[in-house]
Amino acid sequence: MSITYKKPTLHDIPAMQKLVAPEIETGVILPRSNDEIATNIRSYFLAMEGEKLVGFVALHIHSPSLAELRSMIIDTAYRGRNIGSTLVENACEEGRRLGLKEVLALTYEQRFFQRLGFVEIPKESIPEHKIWADCIKCKHFPVCNEVSLIKTL
């Protein structure tokens, strides 16, 4: 079966939570409540194989010029098939259509994002509201070894 990409509906939230749960447990991805996902449902992009959710990413807008890729997850059985790359490309394309100038990624997967045109930046250059709104929820805060990367659209 081939992979298709779509925008989610609110009915997709349980499958999204199930897919991301192992990475939340390890602290790789921040937890998001069902209400938080519902509030931001339009920012997500899903990868599907038939009716099965196999990956997703969110494009969270911080300002008229900056957005962040969040909560990217690919089912372990589907990694290495360019699904993540396509999700990132879809999110960046939407960012371009909206008029964004840059897309940020905080990640442990530096090489993946660099292959897609992202460049490393100092964490100190990330908007302060990002750090306090999200990073403080992380089990690794304040000792974080994620890498900050940005892509100009």
Side-chain angles (χ1 to χ4, degrees):
M1 229 181 224
S2 66
I3 304 299
T4 59
Y5 299 88
K6 70 171 196 162
K7 296 296 276 183
T9 68
L10 297 169
H11 299 291
D12 292 308
I13 294 173
M16 293 167 72
Q17 291 285 36
K18 183 178 179 185
L19 181 60
V20 78
E23 299 293 350
I24 289 171
E25 190 65 33
T26 63
V28 171
I29 294 179
L30 290 175
R32 308 271 181 212
S33 69
N34 287 345
D35 288 348
E36 187 177 1
I37 293 173
T39 299
N40 295 291
I41 196 73
R42 290 175 286 198
S43 69
Y44 288 90
F45 296 85
L46 306 185
M48 309 290 297
E49 183 180 56
E51 296 297 313
K52 181 181 179 177
L53 176 65
V54 299
F56 65 86
V57 71
L59 180 71
H60 181 79
I61 297 173
H62 285 291
S63 73
S65 62
L66 177 68
E68 176 190 1
L69 294 175
R70 287 184 168 181
S71 304
M72 188 162 128
I73 181 72
I74 307 299
D75 184 309
T76 54
Y78 290 81
R79 293 180 185 171
R81 297 189 193 181
N82 291 319
I83 295 168
S85 299
T86 302
L87 285 169
V88 169
E89 289 168 15
N90 289 344
C92 288
E93 181 55 37
E94 180 168 273
R96 281 185 204 92
R97 283 194 310 270
L98 292 171
L100 292 168
K101 304 224 181 321
E102 297 176 309
V103 175
L104 171 71
L106 285 167
T107 183
Y108 298 106
E109 301 296 332
Q110 180 177 3
R111 289 184 300 163
F112 168 80
F113 284 97
Q114 286 176 324
R115 283 194 311 269
L116 298 175
F118 286 74
V119 294
E120 187 174 355
I121 60 169
K123 284 186 195 160
E124 299 76 36
S125 66
I126 298 171
E128 193 172 298
H129 67 275
K130 161 60 185 160
I131 297 297
W132 295 113
D134 286 324
C135 295
I136 202 160
K137 296 183 226 173
C138 181
K139 64 172 44 176
H140 302 294
F141 184 80
V143 181
C144 174
N145 59 355
E146 280 190 314
V147 176
S148 309
L149 300 113
I150 202 155
K151 180 175 183 165
T152 302
L153 298 179

